[in-house]
Coordinates of all heavy atoms in Angstrom, one line a residue:
M1358 N 19.6 -7.2 0.5 CA 18.9 -6.8 1.7 C 17.7 -7.7 1.9 O 17.2 -7.9 3.1 CB 18.5 -5.4 1.6 CG 17.8 -4.8 2.7 SD 17.4 -3.1 2.6 CE 16.2 -2.9 3.9
S1359 N 17.0 -8.3 0.9 CA 15.7 -8.9 1.1 C 15.8 -10.0 2.1 O 14.8 -10.3 2.8 CB 15.2 -9.4 -0.2 OG 16.1 -10.3 -0.8
H1360 N 17.0 -10.7 2.2 CA 16.9 -11.9 3.1 C 17.1 -11.3 4.5 O 16.8 -12.1 5.5 CB 18.1 -12.8 2.9 CG 19.5 -12.1 2.9 ND1 20.0 -11.3 2.0 CD2 20.4 -12.2 3.9 CE1 21.2 -10.8 2.4 NE2 21.5 -11.3 3.6
D1361 N 17.4 -10.2 4.8 CA 17.5 -9.6 6.1 C 16.3 -8.7 6.6 O 16.2 -8.3 7.7 CB 18.7 -8.6 6.2 CG 20.0 -9.4 6.2 OD1 20.0 -10.7 6.5 OD2 21.1 -8.9 5.6
F1362 N 15.4 -8.4 5.6 CA 14.2 -7.7 5.8 C 13.2 -8.4 6.7 O 12.8 -9.5 6.5 CB 13.6 -7.2 4.6 CG 12.6 -6.1 4.8 CD1 13.1 -4.8 5.0 CD2 11.2 -6.3 4.6 CE1 12.2 -3.8 5.1 CE2 10.4 -5.2 4.7 CZ 10.9 -3.9 5.0
V1363 N 12.9 -7.8 7.9 CA 12.1 -8.5 8.9 C 10.7 -8.3 8.6 O 9.9 -9.2 8.8 CB 12.4 -7.9 10.3 CG1 11.5 -8.5 11.4 CG2 13.9 -8.1 10.7
F1364 N 10.1 -7.2 8.1 CA 8.8 -6.9 7.9 C 8.4 -7.4 6.5 O 9.0 -7.1 5.5 CB 8.5 -5.4 8.2 CG 9.0 -4.9 9.3 CD1 10.2 -4.2 9.5 CD2 8.2 -5.3 10.5 CE1 10.6 -3.8 10.8 CE2 8.8 -4.9 11.8 CZ 9.9 -4.0 11.9
E1365 N 7.2 -8.0 6.5 CA 6.7 -8.4 5.2 C 5.2 -7.9 4.7 O 4.8 -8.1 3.7 CB 6.5 -10.0 5.1 CG 7.9 -10.7 5.3 CD 7.9 -12.2 5.4 OE1 6.9 -12.8 5.8 OE2 8.9 -12.7 4.8
K1366 N 4.8 -7.0 5.7 CA 3.5 -6.4 5.5 C 3.7 -4.9 5.8 O 3.7 -4.6 6.9 CB 2.4 -7.0 6.2 CG 2.1 -8.4 5.8 CD 1.0 -8.9 6.6 CE 0.7 -10.4 6.1 NZ -0.3 -11.1 6.9
V1367 N 3.9 -4.0 4.9 CA 4.2 -2.6 5.0 C 3.2 -1.7 4.4 O 2.8 -1.9 3.3 CB 5.5 -2.4 4.5 CG1 6.0 -0.9 4.8 CG2 6.6 -3.2 5.1
I1368 N 2.6 -0.7 5.2 CA 1.9 0.3 4.5 C 2.6 1.6 4.4 O 3.4 2.0 5.3 CB 0.5 0.6 5.2 CG1 0.6 1.0 6.6 CG2 -0.3 -0.8 5.2 CD1 -0.7 1.4 7.2
V1369 N 2.5 2.3 3.3 CA 3.2 3.6 3.1 C 2.1 4.6 2.8 O 1.4 4.5 1.9 CB 4.1 3.5 1.9 CG1 4.9 4.8 1.8 CG2 5.1 2.3 2.0
I1370 N 2.0 5.6 3.8 CA 1.0 6.6 3.7 C 1.7 8.0 3.7 O 2.9 8.1 4.2 CB 0.0 6.4 4.9 CG1 0.6 6.4 6.2 CG2 -0.7 5.1 4.8 CD1 -0.2 6.4 7.5
G1371 N 0.9 8.9 3.4 CA 1.4 10.3 3.5 C 0.6 11.2 2.5 O -0.2 10.6 1.6
C1372 N 0.8 12.5 2.7 CA 0.2 13.5 1.7 C 0.6 13.4 0.3 O 1.8 12.9 0.1 CB 0.3 14.9 2.3 SG 1.9 15.4 2.5
P1373 N -0.2 13.8 -0.7 CA 0.3 13.9 -2.1 C 1.6 14.5 -2.2 O 1.9 15.6 -1.6 CB -0.7 14.6 -2.8 CG -2.0 14.4 -1.9 CD -1.5 14.4 -0.5
G1374 N 2.6 14.0 -2.9 CA 3.8 14.6 -3.2 C 4.8 14.4 -2.1 O 6.0 15.0 -2.2
A1375 N 4.6 13.5 -1.2 CA 5.5 13.3 -0.1 C 6.6 12.2 -0.4 O 7.5 12.1 0.4 CB 4.8 12.8 1.1
G1376 N 6.4 11.6 -1.6 CA 7.5 10.6 -2.0 C 7.1 9.2 -1.7 O 7.9 8.3 -1.6
K1377 N 5.7 9.0 -1.5 CA 5.3 7.6 -1.1 C 5.7 6.6 -2.1 O 6.2 5.5 -1.9 CB 3.9 7.6 -0.9 CG 3.3 8.3 0.3 CD 1.7 8.1 0.4 CE 1.0 8.5 -0.8 NZ 1.0 10.1 -1.1
S1378 N 5.4 7.0 -3.4 CA 5.7 6.0 -4.4 C 7.1 5.8 -4.8 O 7.5 4.6 -4.9 CB 4.9 6.5 -5.8 OG 3.6 6.5 -5.7
T1379 N 7.9 6.9 -4.6 CA 9.3 6.7 -4.8 C 9.9 5.7 -3.8 O 10.7 4.8 -4.1 CB 10.0 8.1 -4.7 OG1 9.6 8.9 -5.9 CG2 11.5 8.0 -4.8
F1380 N 9.5 6.0 -2.6 CA 10.0 5.2 -1.4 C 9.4 3.7 -1.6 O 10.2 2.8 -1.4 CB 9.4 5.8 0.0 CG 9.8 4.8 1.2 CD1 11.0 4.9 1.7 CD2 8.9 3.9 1.6 CE1 11.4 4.1 2.7 CE2 9.3 3.0 2.7 CZ 10.6 3.2 3.2
S1381 N 8.2 3.5 -1.9 CA 7.7 2.2 -2.1 C 8.4 1.4 -3.2 O 8.7 0.2 -3.1 CB 6.1 2.3 -2.4 OG 5.4 2.9 -1.4
R1382 N 8.7 2.0 -4.3 CA 9.4 1.4 -5.4 C 10.7 1.0 -4.9 O 11.3 -0.2 -5.3 CB 9.5 2.3 -6.7 CG 8.2 2.4 -7.4 CD 8.5 3.0 -8.8 NE 8.9 4.3 -8.7 CZ 8.2 5.4 -8.5 NH1 6.8 5.3 -8.5 NH2 8.7 6.7 -8.5
R1383 N 11.4 1.8 -4.2 CA 12.7 1.5 -3.6 C 12.6 0.2 -2.7 O 13.5 -0.6 -2.7 CB 13.4 2.8 -3.0 CG 14.7 2.4 -2.2 CD 15.9 3.0 -3.0 NE 17.0 2.7 -2.4 CZ 17.8 3.4 -1.8 NH1 17.6 4.7 -1.5 NH2 19.0 2.9 -1.3
L1384 N 11.7 0.4 -1.8 CA 11.5 -0.7 -0.8 C 11.2 -2.1 -1.6 O 11.8 -3.0 -1.1 CB 10.3 -0.4 0.1 CG 10.1 -1.4 1.3 CD1 11.3 -1.4 2.2 CD2 8.8 -0.9 2.1
R1385 N 10.5 -2.0 -2.6 CA 10.1 -3.3 -3.4 C 11.5 -3.8 -4.0 O 11.7 -5.0 -3.9 CB 9.1 -2.9 -4.5 CG 8.9 -4.2 -5.4 CD 8.1 -3.8 -6.6 NE 8.7 -2.7 -7.4 CZ 8.1 -2.0 -8.3 NH1 6.9 -2.2 -8.6 NH2 8.8 -1.0 -8.9
S1386 N 12.2 -2.9 -4.5 CA 13.5 -3.2 -5.2 C 14.4 -3.8 -4.1 O 15.1 -4.8 -4.5 CB 14.2 -2.0 -5.8 OG 15.4 -2.3 -6.3
E1387 N 14.5 -3.3 -2.9 CA 15.4 -3.9 -1.9 C 14.9 -5.1 -1.2 O 15.7 -5.8 -0.8 CB 15.5 -2.7 -0.8 CG 16.3 -1.5 -1.3 CD 17.8 -1.7 -1.6 OE1 18.4 -2.6 -0.8 OE2 18.2 -1.1 -2.5
T1388 N 13.6 -5.3 -1.2 CA 13.0 -6.4 -0.5 C 12.5 -7.5 -1.3 O 12.3 -8.7 -0.8 CB 11.9 -6.0 0.6 OG1 10.8 -5.5 -0.3 CG2 12.5 -4.8 1.5
G1389 N 12.0 -7.1 -2.5 CA 11.4 -8.2 -3.3 C 9.9 -8.3 -2.9 O 9.1 -9.2 -3.5
L1390 N 9.4 -7.6 -2.0 CA 8.0 -7.5 -1.7 C 7.1 -7.2 -2.8 O 7.5 -6.2 -3.4 CB 7.6 -6.9 -0.4 CG 8.4 -7.3 0.9 CD1 8.2 -6.2 2.0 CD2 7.9 -8.6 1.3
P1391 N 5.9 -7.7 -3.0 CA 5.0 -7.2 -4.0 C 4.6 -5.8 -3.6 O 4.2 -5.7 -2.5 CB 3.9 -8.2 -4.1 CG 4.0 -9.0 -2.8 CD 5.4 -8.8 -2.4
L1392 N 4.4 -5.0 -4.5 CA 3.9 -3.6 -4.3 C 2.5 -3.4 -4.9 O 2.3 -3.6 -6.1 CB 4.9 -2.6 -4.8 CG 4.5 -1.1 -4.9 CD1 4.1 -0.6 -3.5 CD2 5.6 -0.4 -5.6
Y1393 N 1.6 -2.9 -4.1 CA 0.3 -2.5 -4.5 C 0.0 -0.9 -4.3 O 0.2 -0.6 -3.2 CB -0.8 -3.4 -3.8 CG -0.6 -4.9 -3.9 CD1 0.1 -5.6 -3.0 CD2 -1.1 -5.5 -5.1 CE1 0.3 -6.9 -3.2 CE2 -0.9 -6.9 -5.2 CZ -0.2 -7.5 -4.3 OH 0.0 -8.9 -4.4
Y1394 N -0.5 -0.4 -5.3 CA -0.9 1.0 -5.3 C -2.4 1.1 -5.1 O -3.1 0.7 -6.0 CB -0.5 1.8 -6.6 CG 1.0 1.9 -6.8 CD1 1.7 1.1 -7.7 CD2 1.7 2.8 -5.9 CE1 3.1 1.2 -7.8 CE2 3.1 2.9 -6.2 CZ 3.8 2.2 -7.1 OH 5.2 2.3 -7.3
L1395 N -2.9 1.7 -4.1 CA -4.3 1.8 -3.9 C -4.9 2.7 -5.1 O -6.0 2.5 -5.4 CB -4.6 2.5 -2.5 CG -4.3 1.6 -1.4 CD1 -4.6 2.4 0.0 CD2 -4.9 0.3 -1.4
D1396 N -4.2 3.7 -5.6 CA -4.7 4.4 -6.7 C -5.0 3.6 -7.9 O -6.0 3.7 -8.6 CB -3.8 5.6 -7.2 CG -3.7 6.8 -6.3 OD1 -4.7 6.9 -5.4 OD2 -2.8 7.5 -6.3
C1397 N -4.2 2.6 -8.2 CA -4.4 1.6 -9.2 C -5.5 0.7 -9.0 O -6.1 0.3 -9.9 CB -3.2 0.7 -9.5 SG -1.7 1.7 -10.1
L1398 N -5.8 0.3 -7.7 CA -7.0 -0.4 -7.4 C -8.3 0.4 -7.7 O -9.3 -0.1 -8.1 CB -6.9 -0.8 -6.0 CG -8.0 -1.7 -5.4 CD1 -8.3 -3.0 -6.2 CD2 -7.8 -2.0 -4.0
W1399 N -8.3 1.7 -7.2 CA -9.4 2.6 -7.2 C -9.7 3.1 -8.7 O -10.9 3.2 -8.9 CB -9.1 3.8 -6.4 CG -10.3 4.8 -6.2 CD1 -10.2 6.1 -6.7 CD2 -11.5 4.7 -5.6 NE1 -11.3 6.7 -6.4 CE2 -12.2 5.8 -5.8 CE3 -12.2 3.6 -5.0 CZ2 -13.5 6.1 -5.2 CZ3 -13.5 3.8 -4.5 CH2 -14.1 5.0 -4.7
H1400 N -8.8 3.4 -9.4 CA -9.0 4.0 -10.8 C -8.8 2.9 -11.8 O -7.9 2.2 -11.9 CB -8.0 5.1 -11.1 CG -8.0 6.2 -10.2 ND1 -9.0 7.2 -10.3 CD2 -7.4 6.6 -9.1 CE1 -8.8 8.1 -9.3 NE2 -7.7 7.8 -8.5
K1401 N -9.9 2.9 -12.7 CA -10.0 2.0 -13.8 C -9.1 2.6 -15.0 O -8.7 3.8 -14.9 CB -11.4 1.9 -14.4 CG -12.3 1.1 -13.5 CD -13.7 1.1 -14.1 CE -14.8 0.5 -13.2 NZ -16.0 0.4 -13.8
P1402 N -8.7 1.8 -15.9 CA -7.7 2.3 -17.0 C -8.4 3.5 -17.7 O -7.7 4.3 -18.2 CB -7.6 1.1 -18.0 CG -7.8 0.0 -17.0 CD -8.8 0.3 -16.0
D1403 N -9.8 3.5 -17.8 CA -10.5 4.7 -18.5 C -10.6 5.9 -17.6 O -11.3 6.8 -18.0 CB -11.8 4.3 -19.0 CG -12.8 3.9 -18.0 OD1 -12.5 4.0 -16.7 OD2 -13.9 3.5 -18.4
K1404 N -10.0 5.9 -16.5 CA -9.9 7.0 -15.5 C -11.2 7.2 -14.6 O -11.3 8.1 -13.9 CB -9.7 8.4 -16.3 CG -8.4 8.5 -17.1 CD -7.2 8.2 -16.3 CE -5.9 8.3 -17.2 NZ -4.7 7.8 -16.7
T1405 N -12.1 6.2 -14.8 CA -13.3 6.3 -13.9 C -12.9 5.4 -12.7 O -11.7 4.9 -12.7 CB -14.5 5.5 -14.6 OG1 -14.3 4.2 -14.9 CG2 -15.0 6.4 -15.8
T1406 N -13.7 5.4 -11.7 CA -13.4 4.6 -10.4 C -14.3 3.5 -10.2 O -15.4 3.5 -10.7 CB -13.5 5.6 -9.2 OG1 -14.7 6.2 -9.1 CG2 -12.4 6.8 -9.3
I1407 N -13.9 2.5 -9.4 CA -14.7 1.5 -9.0 C -15.5 1.9 -7.7 O -15.2 2.8 -7.2 CB -13.9 0.2 -8.8 CG1 -12.9 0.4 -7.6 CG2 -13.2 -0.3 -10.0 CD1 -12.2 -0.9 -7.2
G1408 N -16.5 1.1 -7.5 CA -17.3 1.4 -6.2 C -16.6 1.0 -5.0 O -15.5 0.2 -5.0
R1409 N -17.0 1.4 -3.8 CA -16.5 1.2 -2.5 C -16.4 -0.3 -2.2 O -15.4 -0.7 -1.7 CB -17.1 2.1 -1.4 CG -16.7 3.4 -1.4 CD -17.3 4.0 -0.1 NE -16.8 5.4 0.1 CZ -16.9 6.0 1.1 NH1 -17.6 5.6 2.1 NH2 -16.5 7.3 1.2
S1410 N -17.4 -0.9 -2.4 CA -17.5 -2.4 -2.1 C -16.5 -3.1 -2.9 O -15.9 -4.1 -2.5 CB -19.0 -2.9 -2.2 OG -19.4 -2.8 -3.5
E1411 N -16.4 -2.8 -4.1 CA -15.4 -3.5 -5.1 C -14.0 -3.2 -4.6 O -13.1 -4.0 -4.7 CB -15.7 -3.1 -6.5 CG -14.8 -3.9 -7.5 CD -15.2 -3.5 -8.9 OE1 -16.1 -2.8 -9.3 OE2 -14.3 -4.0 -9.8
F1412 N -13.8 -2.0 -4.3 CA -12.4 -1.5 -3.7 C -12.1 -2.2 -2.5 O -11.0 -2.8 -2.4 CB -12.5 0.0 -3.5 CG -11.1 0.5 -3.0 CD1 -10.1 1.0 -3.9 CD2 -11.0 0.7 -1.7 CE1 -8.9 1.3 -3.4 CE2 -9.8 1.3 -1.1 CZ -8.7 1.5 -2.0
D1413 N -13.0 -2.3 -1.6 CA -12.8 -3.0 -0.3 C -12.5 -4.5 -0.5 O -11.6 -5.0 0.1 CB -14.0 -2.8 0.7 CG -14.1 -1.3 1.1 OD1 -13.1 -0.5 0.9 OD2 -15.1 -1.1 1.8
C1414 N -13.3 -5.1 -1.5 CA -13.0 -6.5 -1.7 C -11.6 -6.6 -2.3 O -11.0 -7.6 -1.8 CB -14.2 -6.9 -2.7 SG -14.1 -8.6 -3.1
G1415 N -11.2 -5.8 -3.1 CA -9.9 -5.9 -3.7 C -8.9 -5.7 -2.6 O -7.7 -6.4 -2.7
L1416 N -9.1 -4.8 -1.8 CA -8.1 -4.5 -0.7 C -8.0 -5.7 0.2 O -6.9 -6.1 0.6 CB -8.5 -3.2 0.0 CG -7.6 -2.9 1.3 CD1 -6.2 -2.7 0.8 CD2 -8.1 -1.5 1.9
R1417 N -9.2 -6.3 0.5 CA -9.1 -7.5 1.4 C -8.3 -8.6 0.9 O -7.6 -9.3 1.6 CB -10.7 -7.9 1.8 CG -11.2 -7.1 2.9 CD -12.5 -7.9 3.2 NE -13.6 -7.2 3.6 CZ -14.3 -6.3 2.9 NH1 -14.0 -6.1 1.6 NH2 -15.3 -5.6 3.3
K1418 N -8.3 -8.7 -0.5 CA -7.7 -9.8 -1.2 C -6.3 -9.6 -1.0 O -5.4 -10.4 -0.8 CB -8.1 -9.8 -2.6 CG -7.4 -10.9 -3.4 CD -8.0 -11.0 -4.8 CE -7.2 -12.1 -5.6 NZ -7.7 -12.3 -6.9
I1419 N -5.8 -8.3 -1.2 CA -4.3 -8.0 -1.0 C -3.9 -8.2 0.4 O -2.9 -8.8 0.7 CB -4.1 -6.4 -1.4 CG1 -4.3 -6.3 -2.9 CG2 -2.7 -6.1 -1.0 CD1 -4.4 -4.8 -3.2
L1420 N -4.7 -7.8 1.4 CA -4.4 -7.9 2.8 C -4.2 -9.3 3.2 O -3.6 -9.8 4.2 CB -5.4 -7.1 3.7 CG -5.4 -5.6 3.6 CD1 -6.6 -5.1 4.3 CD2 -4.1 -5.1 4.2
S1421 N -5.0 -10.3 2.6 CA -4.9 -11.6 2.8 C -3.6 -12.3 2.4 O -3.3 -13.4 2.9 CB -6.2 -12.3 2.3 OG -6.1 -12.5 0.8
G1422 N -2.8 -11.7 1.6 CA -1.7 -12.2 1.2 C -0.5 -12.2 2.3 O -0.7 -11.5 3.3
D1423 N 0.4 -13.0 2.1 CA 1.5 -13.2 3.1 C 2.5 -12.1 3.1 O 3.2 -11.8 4.2 CB 2.2 -14.5 2.9 CG 1.5 -15.7 3.1 OD1 0.4 -15.6 3.9 OD2 1.7 -16.8 2.5
K1424 N 2.7 -11.4 1.9 CA 3.7 -10.3 2.0 C 3.2 -9.2 1.1 O 2.7 -9.5 0.0 CB 5.0 -10.9 1.3 CG 5.5 -12.0 2.0 CD 6.8 -12.6 1.2 CE 7.4 -13.7 1.9 NZ 8.6 -14.3 1.3
W1425 N 3.4 -8.0 1.4 CA 3.0 -6.8 0.5 C 3.5 -5.6 1.0 O 3.9 -5.4 2.2 CB 1.5 -6.8 0.4 CG 0.6 -7.1 1.6 CD1 -0.1 -8.2 1.8 CD2 0.4 -6.2 2.7 NE1 -0.8 -8.1 3.0 CE2 -0.4 -6.9 3.6 CE3 0.8 -4.9 3.1 CZ2 -0.9 -6.4 4.8 CZ3 0.3 -4.4 4.3 CH2 -0.5 -5.2 5.1
I1426 N 3.5 -4.6 0.0 CA 3.7 -3.2 0.4 C 2.5 -2.5 -0.2 O 2.1 -2.8 -1.4 CB 5.0 -2.6 -0.3 CG1 6.2 -3.3 0.1 CG2 5.0 -1.1 0.0 CD1 7.4 -3.0 -0.7
I1427 N 1.8 -1.8 0.6 CA 0.5 -1.1 0.1 C 0.8 0.4 0.1 O 1.0 0.9 1.3 CB -0.7 -1.4 0.8 CG1 -1.0 -2.9 0.8 CG2 -1.9 -0.6 0.3 CD1 -2.1 -3.4 1.6
D1428 N 0.8 1.1 -0.9 CA 1.0 2.5 -1.0 C -0.2 3.3 -1.3 O -1.0 3.0 -2.2 CB 2.0 2.6 -2.3 CG 2.4 4.1 -2.7 OD1 1.4 4.9 -2.8 OD2 3.5 4.4 -2.8
G1429 N -0.5 4.2 -0.4 CA -1.7 5.0 -0.6 C -2.3 5.5 0.7 O -2.1 4.7 1.7
I1430 N -2.9 6.7 0.8 CA -3.5 7.1 2.0 C -4.9 6.6 2.3 O -5.1 5.8 3.2 CB -3.5 8.7 2.1 CG1 -3.9 9.1 3.5 CG2 -4.2 9.3 1.0 CD1 -3.1 8.7 4.7
Y1431 N -5.8 6.8 1.3 CA -7.1 6.3 1.5 C -7.6 6.0 2.9 O -7.8 5.0 3.5 CB -7.4 5.0 0.7 CG -7.3 5.3 -0.8 CD1 -6.1 5.5 -1.5 CD2 -8.4 5.4 -1.6 CE1 -5.9 5.8 -2.8 CE2 -8.2 5.6 -3.0 CZ -7.1 5.8 -3.6 OH -7.0 6.1 -4.9
T1432 N -7.8 7.2 3.6 CA -8.0 7.2 5.0 C -9.1 6.3 5.4 O -9.0 5.7 6.5 CB -8.3 8.7 5.5 OG1 -7.3 9.6 5.0 CG2 -8.4 8.8 7.0
R1433 N -10.2 6.2 4.6 CA -11.3 5.4 5.1 C -10.9 4.0 5.3 O -11.5 3.2 6.1 CB -12.3 5.4 4.0 CG -13.6 4.7 4.2 CD -14.6 4.7 2.9 NE -14.0 4.1 1.9 CZ -14.0 2.8 1.6 NH1 -14.6 2.0 2.6 NH2 -13.6 2.2 0.6
T1434 N -9.9 3.5 4.6 CA -9.5 2.1 4.8 C -8.2 1.8 5.8 O -7.8 0.7 5.9 CB -9.1 1.5 3.4 OG1 -7.8 2.2 3.0 CG2 -10.1 1.7 2.3
L1435 N -7.9 2.8 6.5 CA -6.9 2.6 7.4 C -7.3 1.6 8.6 O -6.4 0.8 9.0 CB -6.4 4.0 8.1 CG -5.6 4.9 7.3 CD1 -5.3 6.3 7.9 CD2 -4.2 4.2 6.9
T1436 N -8.5 1.6 8.9 CA -9.0 0.6 9.8 C -8.9 -0.8 9.4 O -8.8 -1.7 10.2 CB -10.5 0.9 10.3 OG1 -11.3 0.9 9.2 CG2 -10.6 2.2 11.0
M1437 N -8.8 -1.0 8.0 CA -8.6 -2.3 7.5 C -7.1 -2.6 7.5 O -6.7 -3.7 7.7 CB -9.2 -2.5 6.1 CG -10.7 -2.4 6.0 SD -11.2 -2.3 4.3 CE -10.7 -3.7 3.6
R1438 N -6.4 -1.6 7.1 CA -4.8 -1.8 6.8 C -4.0 -1.9 8.0 O -3.0 -2.6 8.2 CB -4.4 -0.8 5.8 CG -4.9 -1.0 4.5 CD -4.4 0.0 3.5 NE -5.1 1.3 3.7 CZ -4.5 2.5 3.6 NH1 -3.2 2.5 3.1 NH2 -5.1 3.6 3.7
L1439 N -4.3 -1.0 9.0 CA -3.5 -0.8 10.2 C -3.3 -2.1 11.0 O -2.2 -2.5 11.4 CB -3.9 0.3 11.1 CG -3.6 1.7 10.5 CD1 -4.2 2.8 11.4 CD2 -2.1 1.9 10.4
P1440 N -4.4 -3.0 11.2 CA -4.2 -4.2 12.0 C -3.5 -5.2 11.3 O -2.9 -6.1 11.8 CB -5.7 -4.6 12.3 CG -6.4 -3.4 12.0 CD -5.8 -2.5 11.1
A1441 N -3.5 -5.1 9.9 CA -2.9 -6.2 9.1 C -1.4 -6.0 8.9 O -0.7 -6.9 8.7 CB -3.6 -6.3 7.8
R1442 N -0.9 -4.8 9.1 CA 0.5 -4.4 8.7 C 1.4 -4.7 9.9 O 1.1 -4.9 11.0 CB 0.6 -2.9 8.3 CG 0.3 -1.9 9.3 CD 1.1 -1.7 10.5 NE 0.9 -0.5 11.3 CZ 0.2 -0.5 12.5 NH1 -0.3 -1.6 13.0 NH2 0.3 0.7 13.1
E1443 N 2.7 -5.0 9.5 CA 3.6 -5.1 10.5 C 4.4 -3.8 10.8 O 5.1 -3.6 11.8 CB 4.6 -6.3 10.1 CG 4.0 -7.7 9.9 CD 4.8 -8.7 9.3 OE1 5.8 -8.3 8.6 OE2 4.5 -9.9 9.6
R1444 N 4.4 -2.9 9.7 CA 5.3 -1.7 9.8 C 4.5 -0.7 9.0 O 4.0 -0.9 7.9 CB 6.6 -1.9 9.2 CG 7.6 -0.6 9.2 CD 7.8 -0.1 10.4 NE 8.8 -0.9 11.2 CZ 9.2 -0.8 12.5 NH1 8.6 0.2 13.1 NH2 10.1 -1.5 13.0
S1445 N 4.4 0.6 9.5 CA 3.9 1.7 8.7 C 5.1 2.7 8.4 O 5.9 2.9 9.2 CB 2.8 2.5 9.6 OG 1.7 1.7 9.8
V1446 N 5.0 3.3 7.2 CA 6.0 4.3 6.9 C 5.1 5.5 6.5 O 4.3 5.5 5.5 CB 6.8 4.0 5.7 CG1 7.7 5.1 5.3 CG2 7.7 2.6 6.1
C1447 N 5.3 6.7 7.1 CA 4.6 7.9 7.0 C 5.5 8.8 6.3 O 6.6 9.2 6.7 CB 4.0 8.4 8.1 SG 2.8 7.3 9.0
G1448 N 5.1 9.4 5.1 CA 5.8 10.4 4.4 C 5.2 11.7 4.6 O 4.0 11.9 4.7
R1449 N 5.9 12.8 4.5 CA 5.4 14.2 4.5 C 6.2 15.1 3.5 O 7.4 14.7 3.3 CB 5.2 14.8 5.9 CG 6.6 15.0 6.5 CD 6.4 15.4 7.9 NE 7.7 15.5 8.6 CZ 8.3 16.6 9.1 NH1 7.5 17.6 9.1 NH2 9.5 16.5 9.6
K1450 N 5.6 16.2 3.1 CA 6.4 17.1 2.2 C 7.5 17.8 2.9 O 7.3 18.1 4.2 CB 5.5 18.0 1.6 CG 4.5 17.5 0.5 CD 3.8 18.6 0.0 CE 2.9 18.1 -1.2 NZ 2.1 19.2 -1.8
P1451 N 8.7 17.8 2.4 CA 9.6 18.6 3.0 C 9.4 20.0 3.4 O 8.5 20.6 2.8 CB 10.9 18.5 2.1 CG 10.4 17.8 0.8 CD 9.0 17.5 1.0

């Protein structure tokens, strides 16, 4: 499927438990696009968090790439992500 996939910049958003990560992993598997979890950017390995400016800098670096799937809601950053994406996928709990 990856050779037929038209979109190379996809954001996956939705409430907790909506299946974002499951969908994102499947999309990565089908397309070969790199997958970035905003939770992994925000949380350090010791379970503390980074500052907003560091988070925003990391997100800008991801957004500057040619291809990506970005998984996570982080409403504050939608104004950065929405203009950069080619497709949005919104999940909700059944």
Side-chain angles (χ1 to χ4, degrees):
M1358 179 180 169
S1359 61
H1360 64 281
D1361 294 332
F1362 195 70
V1363 180
F1364 305 105
E1365 296 183 325
K1366 297 180 178 184
V1367 180
I1368 63 172
V1369 181
I1370 57 176
C1372 61
K1377 294 182 303 295
S1378 295
T1379 301
F1380 177 83
S1381 295
R1382 284 190 301 272
R1383 175 108 190 250
L1384 186 60
R1385 175 189 59 196
S1386 176
E1387 294 289 326
T1388 64
L1390 295 173
L1392 172 57
Y1393 301 94
Y1394 294 102
L1395 293 181
D1396 282 344
C1397 291
L1398 180 60
W1399 180 247
H1400 297 281
K1401 295 179 184 180
D1403 66 0
K1404 306 296 184 200
T1405 61
T1406 58
I1407 62 175
R1409 280 187 174 194
S1410 61
E1411 187 178 351
F1412 180 86
D1413 291 352
C1414 183
L1416 179 55
R1417 278 193 217 62
K1418 185 175 180 180
I1419 294 168
L1420 292 171
S1421 71
D1423 293 336
K1424 300 176 182 182
W1425 39 257
I1426 301 164
I1427 300 175
D1428 174 309
I1430 186 62
Y1431 291 78
T1432 307
R1433 182 185 68 80
T1434 65
L1435 284 173
T1436 56
M1437 293 170 61
R1438 291 180 286 148
L1439 287 173
R1442 61 61 168 114
E1443 296 172 342
R1444 177 67 72 188
S1445 300
V1446 178
C1447 301
R1449 63 185 177 122
K1450 286 186 179 180

